Amino acid sequence: MNDRVSLAHGAGGKQTAELIDKVFKAHFSNPLFTADDAAVFPVEAGKMAFSTDGFIVSPAFFPGGNIGKLSICGTVNDLACMGAEPLYLTCAFVIEEGFPMDKLEEVAASMEKTAAEAGVKIVAGDTKVAGKGQVDGLFITTAGIGRIRDGVSTSGAFAKPGDAVIVSGDIGRHGCTILLARDEFGIDAQVTSDCAPLWGTVKAMTDATQDIHVIRDATRGGVGTVLYEVAEQSGAGIRLFAEDIPVQDSVKGVCGMLGLEPLYLACEGRLVIIAPKEHAQELVDVLKQCPYSQDAAIIGEVTGDMPGRVTMVTELGTETILSRPTGELLPRIC
Amino acid sequence: MSKPAERINMGDAKKQAISMIRSYDGPPVRIMEVCGTHTHELFRLGVRGILPEQVTLISGPGCPVCVTPPDFIDAAVWLALEKQVTITTFGDLVRVPGSRDSLASARGKGAKVEVVYSPQDACTYAKEHPEEDVVFLSVGFETTTPSSCLALEQAEREKISNFSLLTANKTMPEAYKMLQGSADIFLYPGHVNAIAGNAVCQQLCRQGISGVVTGFTAAEIVTAIAIALSKFKEGKPFFVNAYPRVVKDEGSPAAQALTDKYLEPCDTIWRGLGEIPGSGLRLKEEYASFDAYRRYAIPKMEGKTSPLCRCGEVLQGKCRPVDCKVFGKGCTPEHPIGACMVSGEGACSAYYQYGGVIK
Amino acid sequence: MCVGLPARVVNVKDGRAVVDASGAQKEISAQLLEDLEPGDYVMIHAGTAIAKIGSDDEEETAGLLDALL
């Protein structure tokens, strides 16, 4: 097989079949992986969750993961946040002509590994090849379906005054990792992406208590954006305690250099959990036992004071409004 | 539910300063933080939440982005679109509105705009892209200007001929004179004084204008306010260097010499304040080849601002952002009309983002 | 107007220095400061070390407030 993806690999003929066999089937093989037009599987009674997400990330490979791992985690975590055990995924690839075959293989391998860890089966896929320059390397879209655990019902609208706000770990690592990997500002720091599949984490929490109001994964806009969405959806206020928010030192350092707010840096393996205060410590204890949430912490509370706003108790003991993010993150120098 | 303040473990200095501020019982006083970074930090830390009623904080003009006039942005956009020049800039300037376009919207029309961390990174970019004409947007006060000069020094030394500066550098002394009367006490910008020294502030003190130079951490900011209030009660003009760990009386002679080598004073327009004689810096004649104005014969730009915008009065502390008709309506950080809404340091942006203060 | 970042000098060579702020490292210009040595703390602005830092902010402010009383 060629060492780079060519337009012929996307033409639907012999070379397409070869690409699918050698790369995708080799990694995604399971009895349900379809050779037909659609995957067929039995469905149990109960509620299902269904979600889709597209992934473009530059660079496609970064410390702590790659676009393949990200594409599995993203959809798995979206399902998990609804209390759904991820069952089946589909994935669609748009590959730039000339993309190295060994890199594609590496992406498929990490998708296989991550899917196995999350307990989800890849049951259908699609491959297109776009001409040089029409896409940036590789775009992946995944869709997934999962079965919602009985008794679990979460939504941003369910946050109530008296709830505690928990994050499952230190924040901003994925965004910081990508920023450093682009190497636009000549900054070096030991930061790896937090990208991780979190169904196991949600399962452990919902084993402990099903009285959880909100579970959200903080992706693109970071924890701050999620909290503003929850405040708006629920009409409650959210009060954060600045000094309780876990941020890795090196992430703080990078943010200091560029004038960025860690609350608005992307995460790919962090949950924001909102639950009645009486369960908060128990949930944190459970989270600390799980592989991706040892640094879980209670960072705030839901209040009736400032509907729709997120506030922050500062190091002076005063309370201020958390500023909202404004579009593109631009480093602030002067 | 515990009161927020009880949860905070504060250092003794911070606690002591806060208690001194809270117990201030002197006459009404207006304190102007000159520096935009102070404006930003005062909001972020919620400092207004600890001030007694008779103490007012006014946000001054010390944000280079806010005081950069629209014709400067127009010139940069013209260079990018008409002369196909690569614009290198601090991130802060990218969204500032010009007469028609910001650099961000010009990018959509094909302008090449590179955000850099420092002027020297811009010079290095020029070196690595010899086929491009590279212009760095040199804005900033005393603190930032030496960095631009270091980039020029590098360009001279390494014979990088495709690099030049579009200058809009400004200096503070004349601006202080113009602002006197706007406030009773200035909080002087620590990092300007780190370069320029304290002589100007000491001179102003002899003329009856009080001030405290301070740093940027929570402890430094509340300490400076505590000192200012305590001295104000004594009724005599004062100057205190409350940031001696960084600010020396003489400033940085090396930085001053560097600035003097390449630049000379000129009259300049401050967005909102108008022309302040002698408060700008331009490249000296012998460095004309590094001067984008001369190199590209940039025509006079329109420099149009929205007639509704009151940034000028905001910058002089004559009105609050909320007094402006377009504040929060037509003018938001996502779609700024005036410069004070663009920069994270701008008074309007800070007011908008932090939506007032909770006591 | 001038965001500053305190950082520790890791090494100095030919007017350039690598500085470290909480584990984030960056090369900056050290041309404005003489006799910089690894371990010194400096204030960084726009890629340039603009001043050496004498002491810690808590320590300094405590001293300033004591002097007032």
Side-chain angles (χ1 to χ4, degrees):
Chain A
M1 202 154 100
N2 308 344
D3 61 351
R4 287 183 182 274
V5 177
S6 69
L7 286 173
H9 286 115
K14 185 165 156 277
Q15 282 190 291
T16 306
E18 196 178 81
L19 177 73
I20 292 171
D21 282 349
K22 296 226 166 112
V23 179
F24 298 123
K25 271 198 195 153
H27 288 287
F28 302 162
S29 171
N30 67 70
L32 288 172
F33 190 78
T34 186
D36 290 312
D37 282 348
V40 175
F41 48 81
V43 190
E44 296 169 48
K47 280 192 183 170
M48 307 297 279
F50 183 30
S51 182
T52 184
D53 211 343
F55 297 85
I56 56 175
V57 57
S58 175
F61 294 80
F62 47 84
N66 61 45
I67 189 170
K69 181 180 181 187
L70 206 59
S71 72
I72 302 294
C73 294
T75 293
V76 161
N77 294 350
D78 282 348
L79 295 172
C81 285
M82 301 310 292
E85 177 183 1
L87 299 174
Y88 307 114
L89 292 187
T90 66
C91 50
F93 293 82
V94 180
I95 310 167
E96 185 182 16
E97 177 186 13
F99 194 80
M101 203 58 86
D102 58 335
K103 289 286 175 191
L104 190 62
E105 180 94 46
E106 197 180 330
V107 168
S110 49
M111 290 174 78
E112 175 187 23
K113 184 161 169 259
T114 312
E117 185 190 338
V120 69
K121 290 189 173 66
I122 297 170
V123 292
D126 179 54
T127 308
K128 297 282 187 296
V129 179
K132 188 96 194 153
Q134 290 181 311
V135 295
D136 180 12
L138 174 63
F139 294 171
I140 304 176
T141 300
T142 56
I145 189 161
R147 201 185 75 82
I148 295 178
R149 288 194 109 181
D150 292 336
V152 178
S153 173
T154 61
S155 161
F158 298 161
K160 282 189 193 61
D163 286 352
V165 179
I166 300 166
V167 284
S168 68
D170 65 297
I171 64 169
R173 283 211 334 234
H174 181 73
C176 191
T177 302
I178 296 300
L179 202 77
L180 294 173
R182 287 182 186 158
D183 196 27
E184 286 167 0
F185 301 106
I187 298 171
D188 285 324
Q190 291 298 319
V191 184
T192 53
S193 170
D194 53 7
C195 175
L198 299 174
W199 165 243
T201 313
V202 172
K203 182 172 183 295
M205 285 196 297
T206 49
D207 282 344
T209 174
Q210 300 202 330
D211 191 8
I212 298 174
H213 294 157
V214 184
I215 307 175
R216 294 285 297 270
D217 65 335
T219 52
R220 200 163 29 184
V223 170
T225 302
V226 163
L227 291 173
Y228 259 111
E229 285 166 7
V230 170
E232 273 156 24
Q233 261 181 292
S234 64
I238 291 173
R239 174 184 291 138
L240 301 178
F241 298 104
E243 57 174 23
D244 296 342
I245 299 170
V247 186
Q248 205 180 55
D249 269 352
S250 44
V251 172
K252 274 188 202 162
V254 173
C255 285
M257 282 186 180
L258 297 176
L260 301 175
E261 168 55 71
L263 279 167
Y264 291 120
L265 284 180
C267 309
E268 289 292 347
R270 294 292 177 257
L271 300 172
V272 174
I273 302 118
I274 297 182
K277 275 190 186 163
E278 58 267 32
H279 302 309
Q281 195 51 54
E282 183 190 5
L283 285 170
V284 169
D285 293 342
V286 168
L287 285 166
K288 284 179 187 285
Q289 301 299 316
C290 296
Y292 303 115
S293 48
Q294 274 121 354
D295 296 319
I298 300 170
I299 60 166
E301 59 194 10
V302 180
T303 74
D305 300 346
M306 295 281 286
R309 312 285 323 232
V310 180
T311 65
M312 180 97 97
V313 175
T314 72
E315 59 182 296
L316 296 179
T318 52
E319 193 174 355
T320 62
I321 306 271
L322 174 69
S323 67
R324 288 169 192 261
T326 48
E328 181 187 6
L329 285 180
L330 288 171
R332 192 164 69 84
I333 291 130
C334 54
Chain B
M1 206 185 299
S2 61
K3 274 243 178 253
E6 290 161 21
R7 302 184 71 264
I8 304 294
N9 297 316
M10 261 184 275
D12 285 345
K14 254 185 283 184
K15 254 191 225 160
Q16 193 187 340
I18 290 171
S19 124
M20 287 169 70
I21 294 169
R22 282 191 195 277
S23 61
Y24 173 72
D25 57 358
V29 55
R30 298 165 302 160
I31 303 175
M32 177 182 276
E33 83 274 3
V34 173
C35 173
T37 309
H38 278 144
T39 303
H40 191 266
E41 290 303 296
L42 286 163
F43 274 102
R44 194 182 64 79
L45 294 166
V47 170
R48 281 174 174 79
I50 57 169
L51 297 180
E53 290 232 313
Q54 73 272 38
V55 180
T56 312
L57 285 178
I58 301 169
S59 305
C63 159
V65 170
C66 300
V67 297
T68 297
D71 55 334
F72 180 79
I73 301 298
D74 294 346
V77 169
W78 182 86
L79 282 174
L81 292 179
E82 302 299 323
K83 296 283 167 185
Q84 284 73 49
V85 158
T86 300
I87 298 293
T88 51
T89 176
F90 295 133
D92 315 46
L93 277 176
V94 173
R95 295 189 306 117
V96 179
S99 300
R100 276 187 204 85
D101 276 309
S102 65
L103 289 165
S105 65
R107 202 157 48 181
K109 297 177 179 172
K112 195 157 176 9
V113 180
E114 293 284 324
V115 173
V116 293
Y117 178 78
S118 75
Q120 283 182 289
D121 288 353
C123 187
T124 302
Y125 177 92
K127 184 182 171 182
E128 289 167 357
H129 298 80
E131 71 290 357
E132 295 177 30
D133 262 357
V134 179
V135 169
F136 177 70
L137 304 186
S138 180
V139 298
F141 293 95
E142 284 87 339
T143 322
T144 316
T145 303
S147 294
S148 286
C149 295
L150 286 172
L152 287 182
E153 201 171 61
Q154 183 190 348
E156 262 194 304
R157 190 174 59 241
E158 300 180 16
K159 305 202 169 20
I160 302 167
S161 58
N162 60 327
F163 179 71
S164 59
L165 300 186
L166 189 70
T167 54
N169 299 75
K170 294 187 167 40
T171 54
M172 287 308 296
E174 297 305 316
Y176 289 138
K177 287 179 198 159
M178 173 156 175
L179 288 166
Q180 61 173 297
S182 302
D184 303 302
I185 305 168
F186 286 128
L187 276 190
Y188 290 121
H191 294 151
V192 166
N193 287 41
I195 298 291
N198 294 330
V200 167
C201 304
Q202 285 157 339
Q203 175 63 30
L204 288 169
C205 176
R206 285 192 285 275
Q207 293 166 15
I209 300 166
S210 296
V212 180
V213 55
T214 184
F216 298 86
T217 69
E220 284 163 345
I221 289 174
V222 290
T223 297
I225 295 175
I227 291 172
L229 294 176
S230 154
K231 294 274 178 196
F232 187 70
K233 258 176 85 170
E234 293 172 14
K236 290 192 300 251
F238 57 88
F239 168 72
V240 180
N241 178 4
Y243 195 28
R245 71 193 182 105
V246 170
V247 176
K248 308 289 167 246
D249 272 348
E250 69 278 15
S252 165
Q256 293 161 16
L258 194 62
T259 300
D260 291 345
K261 178 181 169 194
Y262 290 100
L263 301 163
E264 62 190 10
C266 64
D267 300 345
T268 190
I269 292 173
W270 297 50
R271 191 172 189 142
L273 301 182
E275 184 173 280
I276 305 181
S279 68
L281 292 169
R282 66 175 173 218
L283 280 157
K284 288 182 174 171
E285 185 60 41
E286 58 261 48
Y287 300 105
S289 64
F290 291 116
D291 186 347
Y293 292 108
R294 287 180 257 200
R295 186 163 170 157
Y296 300 100
I298 300 173
K300 175 105 183 80
M301 291 292 156
E302 185 177 13
K304 196 176 65 191
T305 49
S306 163
L308 296 171
C309 168
R310 296 180 70 184
C311 277
E313 290 162 87
V314 170
L315 286 170
Q316 294 172 80
K318 287 184 180 162
C319 83
R320 292 173 307 162
V322 289
D323 300 327
C324 174
K325 271 193 191 139
V326 289
F327 175 80
K329 301 184 183 90
C331 185
T332 62
E334 293 78 31
H335 301 285
I337 291 177
C340 301
M341 189 59 94
V342 177
S343 161
E345 292 191 351
C348 294
S349 166
Y351 265 77
Y352 185 87
Q353 300 275 340
Y354 295 96
V357 173
I358 309 150
K359 286 264 177 182
Chain C
M1 90 212 290
C2 314
V3 175
L5 179 79
R8 184 174 48 82
V9 175
V10 178
N11 62 58
V12 195
K13 200 185 169 198
D14 302 332
R16 307 285 294 169
V18 172
V19 295
D20 180 304
S22 311
Q25 297 203 343
K26 160 116 185 107
E27 191 187 284
I28 51 115
S29 169
Q31 278 162 273
L32 297 183
L33 302 176
E34 281 174 15
D35 313 326
L36 265 195
E37 282 177 24
D40 285 346
Y41 280 81
V42 288
M43 190 59 74
I44 310 298
H45 171 75
T48 304
I50 58 166
K52 274 196 209 184
I53 301 176
S55 71
D56 163 71
D57 66 324
E58 290 280 344
E59 196 183 311
E60 177 162 291
T61 50
L64 285 161
L65 289 167
D66 284 347
L68 269 189
L69 298 175

